[in-house]
Amino acid sequence: MDMDSMEDERLQSSAPPKYGSVEGDGRGSDAIAVDVDEVGTPLMAGAEYSLNDELAGQGSGNNIGGFMGVFVPCNLAIFGAIVFERMGWVVGESGIGIALVLLVVGYIVVTITTISMSAIATNGTIKGGGAYYMISRSLGPSFGGSIGIMFYFANICGAATQMLGFIEALGFPPIGDLLASSYAWNLLYGAVTLFVILLICLVGANAFAKTAILIWVIMWISLAASIGSLWFAPSGYHDESTFSSWSAATFADNWGPDFNNEPEGGKDNTVMTVFGVFFPTCTGIMAGANMSGDLASPEKSIPRGTLAALGVTFLFYVAQVMSLGATVTREGLQQNYMIMQSIVFWWPFVAAGIFACSLSSALNNLIGSSRILQAIARDRIVPGLWFFQKGSEAADEPRRAVVLSYVLIQVCLCVGGMNAMATITTMFFLISYGTVNLAVFVQKWTGSPQFRPSFKFFNMWLSLAGAVLCIVVMFLVAPIPAACALATMIILFLAVSLRSVETDWGDVGQAILFHHVRKYLLQLDARKEHVKYWRPSMLLMVGNASKAVNLIDFVNNLKKGGLFIIGNIIVGSFDDASVEQLKRREEGWLNFISRGGFKAFASVVVAPSVATGLNMFLSAAGLGALQPNTVVFGMHKNNTHRKIHGDRDLSVSGMTSEKLLELAGESFGAGAADGTPAVGAVEYLAMLRNTIRVGRHFLVACHFSRLDKDMVKAFRGSRILHHTKRLTIDMWPVVFANQRGAYESSTQLNLMLGYILKQTSIWNVYSKLRVKVVVPNDSFVAAETERLERRLQESRIKSRVEVCLKCARILLFVWLFLFVWLFLFVWLFL
């Protein structure tokens, strides 16, 4: 048995082994089995565990089949008030032909999204938690959180649409004859009905859910009665100006479009505005996924049940469009929203269907949106939602989230017309479906080996086409709301991504980054490097983080867009103890770099000596063409030097020394003070020589424990003769005996590093550049000054030049001065 078949068999088992465990195959050999979570993502040690993960595996029965668990909920969610109150209007405005096209386009969108959802559902073992849980655990917090929030608002708007359909039905005879009708009264009816739904959610939502099959039966009886009336009613059964029974003339007259003004807003309708009202009748495909915790076999029931529900509803819509177009006149379709109720042989059938569909859909949307909000709050993806994570003690009902959702739905009722609310609902569902399709495409496109859905109809390019179709349709329906919805999704995605929430689900965003980084690293060719695009890429050798924070911060400024690697060497043999210490050091460095705000990578090696460890870094640090070109060493120190200067850690990176030391202690634990053993002078010089051998620059750092950025800022405030003084960054080109070429290279590197440092952090504001060089006598001053100024001009670097005489000349004058004073002292007093 090969490894893939063994892995697939293990995924279907009910008790998978723990991460990293070894599971015997019963034939004398061992197969390593990696624990895979509910959607096929490897668990990561040390990640934050969410309360949703614990609750998701509990379920309520785990014995519901695909019909009751997926097909019926999807039917109830797809059919709503629009099927009774707007399908006739859609046919009257767009005509039979265009209405069928709109129907096909809408179902292409939801079918492709269903296929993408089926890919997620069949990618490993599914636990409970609903559609949001399934999406977030498969795609990670970035996509999962942003999609979850948009789904939340889509459900809110969907509930408002259903409530507006219910309110509208109350205004038509014979019920409308008994009730007062105005905008204020309609708001009152909606508020009272919505409050009753709120009480049901707070008290008996589970009991109401058990009546789903009864509501489903009532809905189909109502639909059958309405279609039966269109099919079998005689021509004289209803007003002949609106109902002609089966007629070829009526069918031909209704085939083409005849767009009229919208009664609610007085605007001219178009194909896409009609589609915006119609599309909510295609949504509801997530209802089955919300039952994942109660399904006996969710990976089979969700795809089959959802696709079956789409097929049945699509066939009904086709029959309804054809029937309305062939039996009802254009005037009746456009002017009478309740044409279905007007034609049915007994109006309570349609009224019962409207009330059952609209109220059950509103209830499902209210409780569904509340559970999504509760799940997002528990995952701590979005800040400020922690208050809504608490559920009831008895059944963990999201009562706090229900109240918030109730308030938002009540606000949406103030929008007014059902058509306007349906268009807003379309925007939220389209952006949500588009993002799901895009995320599934990206996960397959990145080549993640863990994403291998068993749903055979899945195709990554189909998902991409679905995503593009959703975005295109959004902008065709309503450009400005579409742009707002897209911008909201992007902002949510970036906000969640930038928060860097630690989870154990994995993140498809990391897979995207890996794919692009690998792609562009392969394109980065070291043979094409040019001096005018050179930038410093630093390898900083550090022994003890707590004693090198100033230097780490300084090099972090100095690299300016280049690579920055912090190298740490553990001296010893490569045994279990050293490997364990290496793991602790790596984790500590990652935490220290992340929390300290340093843009760096950390690399820790185990070597028998410091010199050997450096050689390992010089030969293997970096990846491809992205390698360090400059190595930074600390000055070789003896005991006297340490006694004189000590090690003082002052403020860097916007943090005080106490906080940095505390951070180092938290990052490295008891080993925070452990460092690399000291090296001898000969070994130190050999390390510098080896650095030059491999073609790297090297910098030697000294006295950085005395660097105080607060002092630099304070010095900026001093004034002399009304001029603000600034500290200088002194650049001293090193003179090599009889090596003019080396001197030129050293000068150029010195100037470049000084310029780069001047562009960063506080150095840009609180310092200025100065080039200083020493010459043997006065005859060299003018020539060296001219040479350096010319070099600065060619390099386009603003700096002051100071040329100093050799120290010997200065000391000679000092000795002569002292000798004269000593001679005068002896002559006068002795």
Side-chain angles (χ1 to χ4, degrees):
M1 183 182 295
D2 60 11
M3 288 298 294
D4 290 337
S5 60
M6 293 175 64
E7 179 70 8
D8 294 336
E9 180 180 352
R10 191 199 61 74
L11 284 173
Q12 297 174 3
S13 64
S14 58
K18 295 299 182 182
Y19 177 75
S21 63
V22 178
E23 181 181 26
D25 61 2
R27 297 179 299 176
S29 62
D30 291 332
I32 298 177
V34 181
D35 186 20
V36 177
D37 68 351
E38 63 278 4
V39 286
T41 306
L43 298 178
M44 297 184 296
E48 181 179 350
Y49 183 73
S50 171
L51 180 58
N52 286 331
D53 299 303
E54 178 181 351
L55 298 175
Q58 296 176 359
S60 59
N62 298 322
N63 56 3
I64 302 179
F67 180 78
M68 284 299 301
V70 181
F71 181 80
V72 171
C74 286
N75 260 211
L76 291 173
I78 293 173
F79 286 134
I82 293 178
V83 71
F84 293 99
E85 301 181 22
R86 288 296 185 274
M87 285 303 294
W89 175 82
V90 169
V91 175
E93 291 290 320
S94 61
I96 299 173
I98 294 180
L100 292 175
V101 172
L102 297 180
L103 180 63
V104 170
V105 171
Y107 266 77
I108 287 176
V109 171
V110 295
T111 302
I112 293 177
T113 307
T114 300
I115 292 174
S116 299
M117 283 293 301
S118 300
I120 298 175
T122 58
N123 184 46
T125 304
I126 302 177
K127 295 181 181 179
Y132 161 74
Y133 185 88
M134 189 169 62
I135 293 172
S136 62
R137 267 47 179 184
S138 177
L139 306 178
S142 300
F143 276 107
S146 54
I147 293 174
I149 294 173
M150 297 304 285
F151 266 133
Y152 172 77
F153 285 109
N155 278 275
I156 293 294
C157 295
T161 301
Q162 300 302 326
M163 288 301 304
L164 288 171
F166 170 79
I167 296 170
E168 190 173 288
L170 295 178
F172 284 88
I175 299 177
D177 297 336
L178 305 176
L179 300 175
S181 178
S182 67
Y183 177 75
W185 279 105
N186 289 342
L187 284 181
L188 179 61
Y189 300 149
V192 172
T193 307
L194 187 59
F195 184 75
V196 173
I197 293 177
L198 171 66
L199 295 179
I200 295 174
C201 287
L202 295 177
V203 178
N206 290 334
F208 184 82
K210 296 178 181 179
T211 64
I213 185 64
L214 177 61
I215 299 173
W216 182 77
V217 170
I218 295 174
M219 178 193 70
W220 273 107
I221 292 175
S222 176
L223 293 173
S226 60
I227 288 292
S229 298
L230 292 174
W231 288 356
F232 303 112
S235 58
Y237 174 76
H238 194 68
D239 185 4
E240 293 185 359
S241 63
T242 58
F243 182 73
S244 65
S245 187
W246 289 100
S247 171
T250 303
F251 185 87
D253 183 63
N254 289 334
W255 178 257
D258 182 20
F259 295 109
N260 204 343
N261 289 339
E262 184 179 348
E264 296 171 359
K267 298 180 180 179
D268 292 335
N269 287 311
T270 63
V271 173
M272 299 316 298
T273 57
V274 172
F275 181 82
V277 176
F278 163 77
F279 184 74
T281 60
C282 305
T283 61
I285 59 176
M286 300 296 180
N290 289 332
M291 299 288 292
S292 59
D294 301 318
L295 299 175
S297 181
E299 65 276 3
K300 295 181 180 179
S301 298
I302 292 175
R304 295 176 182 177
T306 307
L307 289 174
L310 287 177
V312 170
T313 55
F314 176 78
L315 293 177
F316 176 83
Y317 283 142
V318 171
Q320 186 183 31
V321 169
M322 300 291 288
S323 301
L324 287 169
T327 60
V328 183
T329 64
R330 179 84 67 174
E331 180 183 356
L333 293 173
Q334 290 181 330
Q335 302 301 324
N336 187 1
Y337 283 154
M338 299 295 292
I339 190 65
M340 300 283 290
Q341 179 173 311
S342 300
I343 295 174
V344 70
F345 59 86
W346 192 43
W347 69 266
F349 276 119
V350 173
I354 293 176
F355 296 159
C357 288
S358 60
L359 295 181
S360 65
S361 296
L363 177 63
N364 288 331
N365 284 331
L366 176 58
I367 192 64
S369 61
S370 303
R371 291 194 183 278
I372 291 174
L373 181 61
Q374 183 187 44
I376 295 175
R378 285 176 171 172
D379 286 339
R380 302 176 184 177
I381 292 177
V382 179
L385 297 181
W386 58 269
F387 178 77
F388 302 102
Q389 66 180 344
K390 183 177 177 57
S392 62
E393 296 181 0
D396 194 40
E397 294 291 341
R399 292 178 177 174
R400 296 179 178 180
V402 165
V403 174
L404 176 63
S405 301
Y406 161 78
V407 173
L408 293 178
I409 295 173
Q410 188 65 60
V411 172
C412 290
L413 294 181
C414 299
V415 170
M418 183 179 177
N419 289 5
M421 198 69 245
T423 302
I424 297 174
T425 304
T426 296
M427 292 295 104
F428 279 111
F429 273 113
L430 281 174
I431 190 65
S432 301
Y433 291 166
T435 309
V436 170
N437 288 316
L438 178 62
V440 175
F441 163 78
V442 167
Q443 186 153 350
K444 184 65 176 179
W445 174 63
T446 56
S448 174
Q450 291 295 336
F451 186 72
R452 48 184 193 275
S454 60
F455 187 68
K456 62 181 179 180
F457 297 107
F458 168 73
N459 182 276
M460 59 181 289
W461 301 111
L462 187 63
S463 296
L464 178 61
V468 173
L469 181 61
C470 288
I471 301 301
V472 171
V473 171
M474 281 177 55
F475 280 92
L476 291 177
V477 170
I480 296 178
C484 294
L486 185 61
T488 302
M489 174 60 80
I490 294 174
I491 292 173
L492 288 173
F493 180 84
L494 295 177
V496 176
S497 300
L498 293 176
R499 285 202 71 221
S500 301
V501 181
E502 294 183 3
T503 65
D504 59 357
W505 327 328
D507 189 353
V508 70
Q510 292 298 309
I512 298 173
L513 290 176
F514 179 86
H515 179 84
H516 283 290
V517 168
R518 172 184 170 276
K519 174 183 176 181
Y520 292 119
L521 272 177
L522 291 173
Q523 295 179 4
L524 190 62
D525 193 345
R527 296 168 297 181
K528 298 181 180 179
E529 289 185 355
H530 194 276
V531 63
K532 67 181 179 180
Y533 300 118
W534 183 91
R535 66 183 64 199
S537 293
M538 301 294 190
L539 169 61
L540 172 62
M541 303 305 299
V542 175
N544 188 337
S546 62
K547 294 186 178 181
V549 289
N550 289 359
L551 182 57
I552 293 173
D553 177 73
F554 183 81
V555 177
N556 186 58
N557 293 148
L558 197 60
K559 60 106 172 62
K560 185 57 178 177
L563 180 66
F564 182 19
I565 299 176
I566 299 177
N568 187 228
I569 302 172
I570 300 175
V571 177
S573 58
F574 202 80
D575 52 16
D576 292 342
S578 296
V579 171
E580 187 64 29
Q581 186 181 7
L582 182 143
K583 292 180 180 179
R584 292 197 305 268
R585 288 274 187 95
E586 287 179 338
E587 185 66 26
W589 276 112
L590 289 175
N591 185 56
F592 181 79
I593 289 172
S594 175
R595 296 178 59 185
F598 303 113
K599 297 179 181 179
F601 300 95
S603 181
V604 184
V605 299
V606 179
S609 66
V610 176
T612 304
L614 174 66
N615 293 339
M616 295 169 63
F617 279 115
L618 292 177
S619 58
L623 185 63
L626 196 62
Q627 296 182 353
N629 53 34
T630 306
V631 184
V632 183
F633 298 93
M635 175 67 75
H636 183 269
K637 299 179 181 180
N638 53 32
N639 293 332
T640 304
H641 178 88
R642 284 193 291 268
K643 289 179 181 178
I644 293 175
H645 297 287
D647 287 306
R648 297 189 297 116
D649 294 302
L650 303 172
S651 62
V652 296
S653 296
M655 304 176 69
T656 62
S657 60
E658 291 79 7
K659 290 184 178 180
L660 282 171
L661 290 174
E662 182 181 350
L663 175 58
E666 293 175 356
S667 302
F668 298 96
D674 297 340
T676 303
V679 298
V682 175
E683 186 179 8
Y684 180 82
L685 293 176
M687 293 165 59
L688 300 182
R689 182 184 60 187
N690 291 339
T691 304
I692 298 176
R693 280 179 174 176
V694 296
R696 306 285 196 272
H697 306 293
F698 73 82
L699 307 176
V700 178
C702 186
H703 300 319
F704 274 91
S705 61
R706 305 173 63 185
L707 175 63
D708 187 354
K709 283 190 173 182
D710 289 336
M711 182 271 292
V712 176
K713 296 178 181 180
F715 189 83
R716 178 75 168 86
S718 62
R719 290 175 175 270
I720 297 179
L721 298 177
H722 303 288
H723 293 285
T724 303
K725 293 190 63 179
R726 290 187 290 179
L727 294 178
T728 58
I729 300 174
D730 287 341
M731 299 171 288
W732 293 79
V734 179
V735 179
F736 296 89
N738 301 321
Q739 295 187 30
R740 172 56 62 179
Y743 174 58
E744 294 292 336
S745 299
S746 174
T747 302
Q748 187 65 29
L749 177 63
N750 210 322
L751 295 177
M752 180 62 70
L753 293 178
Y755 170 78
I756 291 174
L757 180 64
K758 180 68 171 63
Q759 308 306 309
T760 61
S761 189
I762 65 171
W763 308 106
N764 184 33
V765 179
Y766 298 102
S767 65
K768 56 185 177 180
L769 295 177
R770 180 173 63 181
V771 180
K772 303 191 72 173
V773 67
V774 178
V775 295
N777 53 58
D778 295 338
S779 61
F780 289 92
V781 172
E784 190 65 21
T785 302
E786 181 183 358
R787 190 189 70 83
L788 288 174
E789 289 179 347
R790 185 173 64 254
R791 172 58 62 87
L792 290 170
Q793 185 177 5
E794 293 173 354
S795 303
R796 301 173 303 282
I797 298 176
K798 295 182 180 180
S799 175
R800 191 170 81 243
V801 177
E802 289 188 9
V803 179
C804 306
L805 297 178
K806 235 179 184 182
C807 294
R809 170 88 43 116
I810 298 175
L811 290 176
L812 177 61
F813 282 108
V814 171
W815 281 110
L816 288 175
F817 180 81
L818 293 177
F819 178 80
V820 171
W821 274 103
L822 179 62
F823 176 81
L824 291 175
F825 178 82
V826 173
W827 182 70
L828 291 175
F829 296 98
L830 297 180

